[in-house]
Amino acid sequence: MTTSEQLFEKAKTLIPGGVNSPVRAFRSVGGTPLFIKSAKGPYLYDEDGRQYIELINSWGPMILGHAFEPVEKAVRDAIQHSFSFGAPTRKEVEMAELITNMVPSIEQVRMVNSGTEATMAAIRVARGFTNRDKLIKFEGCYHGHGDSFLIAAGSGAMTMGIPDSPGVTKATAADTLTAPFNDLAAVETLLANNHNQVAAIILEPVVGNMGCVLPEPGFLEGVRTLCDQHGVVLIFDEVMTGFRLAKGGAQERFGIKPDLTTLGKIIGGGMPVGAYGGRADIMQLVAPAGPVYQAGTLSGNPIAMSAGLAMLHHLNEHPEVYTRLDAIGEKLTTGFKAGLQKAGLPYTINQLGSMFTLFMTERPVANFSDAKSCDVAAFGRYFHAMLERGVYLAPSQFESLFTSIALTDDLIDQVIQANEESLLVMMTGSPER
Ligand SMILES: *Cc1c(COP(=O)(O)O)cnc(C)c1O
């Protein structure tokens, strides 16, 4: 037994499924999750001392590579002044100023502790602002584990086959309307059938949580226009794309201005942080400025703010990070496509900047039902073949991969080589694990 296997056996007796977040359990790919001991730059090290090239990077935050020195130093410095005060700090003001500079649609911002908290608060504010109850989300988009969002949800919910979670009341579910991603006509129909009842439309402008799915030309613009026509608050959930696709997120890349934005992942530099913000007239409704209640004992935590500030400052001041990430994404995609061609597999790759997914399907993937056409058994074999070759992917077909700037050209070549070999192993049908 490996150390990971021993730890997992014990974990399963103490923690539901042995993990603190579902996708980590390797359920959809089979086998035992690796227990991670440490990481540095482009590498992850497990409890058995094996080294892996990182293509998840903590689901996004490690965009500058693991244990990036300026972030590490900021945390070390901050720790000397105690860890939490439950009172306002200078760093929170700096953080708010930096976020509003980097993401111009955000005029005011509130810090929270996770992406889930950010999206739950954002829809509450949108409901308070419009005095309406309903919400439109897209099938396969994931917005954290708030009750309202566990309807046709992506990410782990999709991977585990539970996109509609038990435990969500019928009343809550009834207020969440869903449309296929990239289907503007479906949104129009929902708005017409629920006249003056829809408070918000929430979406991932580039989806990461059913695998990487791009908005078709005109889709985001169309949603923006419909929101304006119907008095609906447009929420971009940029927990994944924020500070990743550009310093101002997907909204900068596509030139669309949402009313509210939710942030997470990169914003904490690896610490548990989220944020929501947007138009000042909407954010002024948040307590204590206004009547919509939202609070948090550890919100704006000084250690977390220090890590996040160091991360965001670096991204804000080094635009070459994004040029490099785009180049890495393109080089990987080109190499993966060549691998598919050699293996004679007509599979689909979606990519934008540092986000990409190899979908085990011949169909172009533009929405949830396209994504669901993938051969997940083949993905499981491929996943383990990659792991065997020292490449750590997301343990699910329905996730995007995330690169960091720590990925050198040599490492990219190694990953491309591993992909070629793994596709061949996958086709023989026998998992290596
Ligand atoms: C990860 C994610 C969330 C949830 O964030 P947590 O910090 O895991 O609660 C919400 N929305 C999107 C788009 C995400 O990718």
Side-chain angles (χ1 to χ4, degrees):
M1 256 206 200
T2 63
T3 311
S4 286
E5 282 165 349
Q6 285 167 22
L7 284 168
F8 192 49
E9 282 312 305
K10 182 155 189 193
K12 279 189 284 189
T13 68
L14 299 165
I15 306 170
V19 290
N20 282 314
S21 196
V23 175
R24 294 180 197 170
F26 276 30
R27 287 273 177 105
S28 73
V29 292
T32 305
L34 302 180
F35 281 64
I36 304 304
K37 193 166 187 177
S38 69
K40 180 69 191 166
Y43 295 115
L44 211 52
Y45 299 91
D46 71 8
E47 286 281 352
D48 293 288
R50 287 195 57 181
Q51 172 185 285
Y52 301 90
I53 301 171
E54 257 285 39
L55 288 182
I56 308 182
N57 287 293
S58 186
W59 306 92
M62 298 295 119
I63 188 167
L64 302 173
H66 281 279
F68 185 69
E69 265 121 43
V71 177
E72 196 185 325
K73 182 174 182 308
V75 172
R76 275 186 206 284
D77 290 348
I79 276 173
Q80 302 167 30
H81 307 287
S82 189
F83 319 139
S84 178
F85 314 115
T89 61
R90 178 188 296 270
K91 288 196 175 119
E92 292 164 82
V93 186
E94 285 174 23
M95 184 60 128
E97 191 171 32
L98 187 55
I99 293 170
T100 53
N101 281 335
M102 291 174 80
V103 190
S105 75
I106 300 183
E107 295 167 353
Q108 294 202 339
V109 60
R110 170 62 64 80
M111 303 309 298
V112 293
N113 303 292
S114 69
T116 293
E117 267 192 69
T119 54
M120 291 193 327
I123 54 162
R124 186 181 304 136
V125 182
R127 284 169 166 158
F129 182 75
T130 55
N131 211 5
R132 301 173 181 176
D133 290 345
K134 291 186 181 171
L135 145 80
I136 295 177
K137 80 174 280 288
F138 294 88
E139 295 162 5
C141 280
Y142 178 71
H143 304 294
H145 66 83
D147 283 358
S148 300
F149 303 119
L150 293 179
I151 320 290
S155 190
M158 182 177 182
T159 303
M160 304 294 144
I162 41 174
D164 307 287
S165 173
V168 174
T169 66
K170 287 190 185 68
T172 300
D175 280 337
T176 300
L177 313 171
T178 62
F181 196 73
N182 277 322
D183 189 343
L184 216 45
V187 181
E188 238 175 314
T189 305
L190 286 176
L191 288 170
N193 293 345
N194 296 273
H195 189 61
N196 283 345
Q197 295 175 64
V198 177
I201 296 182
I202 186 168
L203 55 82
E204 301 178 62
V206 172
V207 190
N209 286 298
M210 52 179 147
C212 177
V213 173
L214 306 192
E216 283 169 357
F219 176 65
L220 296 175
E221 290 82 352
V223 172
R224 176 68 274 180
T225 304
L226 285 173
C227 284
D228 291 339
Q229 285 167 353
H230 292 264
V232 172
V233 175
L234 176 59
I235 306 172
F236 271 14
D237 181 355
E238 297 228 40
V239 169
M240 213 171 240
T241 52
F243 314 111
R244 172 163 291 281
L245 293 179
K247 77 180 162 92
Q251 55 193 271
E252 176 184 321
R253 201 142 175 157
F254 289 90
I256 312 280
K257 215 170 163 185
D259 301 306
L260 293 177
T261 300
T262 53
L263 297 165
K265 301 196 167 107
I266 291 175
I267 203 174
M271 296 289 187
V273 181
Y276 65 102
R279 274 167 49 187
D281 60 331
I282 301 178
M283 290 304 289
Q284 276 295 308
L285 286 185
V286 178
V292 175
Y293 199 71
Q294 185 272 311
T297 302
L298 296 176
S299 294
N301 172 273
I303 311 297
M305 290 303 99
S306 301
L309 274 169
M311 174 74 86
L312 297 193
H313 270 303
H314 189 90
L315 294 173
N316 195 30
E317 286 141 35
H318 295 83
E320 72 276 12
V321 165
Y322 295 101
T323 325
R324 175 67 190 150
L325 286 171
D326 282 4
I328 292 172
E330 265 145 45
K331 185 169 159 128
L332 270 176
T333 310
T334 307
F336 273 45
K337 282 189 174 153
L340 285 172
Q341 205 156 20
K342 264 193 202 167
L345 291 166
Y347 289 165
T348 296
I349 296 180
N350 284 354
Q351 179 249 340
L352 185 67
S354 56
M355 294 172 67
F356 82 106
T357 301
L358 165 51
F359 289 101
M360 306 289 171
T361 178
E362 299 179 18
R363 268 160 78 164
V365 180
N367 60 38
F368 193 53
S369 66
D370 295 335
K372 281 196 296 193
S373 72
C374 288
D375 183 345
V376 290
F379 180 83
R381 295 193 297 274
Y382 169 79
F383 171 84
H384 281 284
M386 288 293 271
L387 207 56
E388 223 17 70
R389 286 159 185 76
V391 181
Y392 192 76
L393 306 176
S396 164
Q397 169 73 90
F398 307 117
E399 298 287 351
S400 178
L401 299 179
F402 304 105
T403 56
S404 82
I405 53 162
L407 215 52
T408 60
D409 283 332
D410 276 355
L411 290 175
I412 297 172
D413 289 337
Q414 281 182 43
V415 172
I416 289 171
Q417 177 69 26
N419 173 66
E420 259 183 55
E421 293 171 18
S422 299
L423 288 173
L424 298 177
V425 172
M426 177 191 88
M427 290 194 298
T428 67
S430 54
E432 289 189 347
R433 68 182 144 80

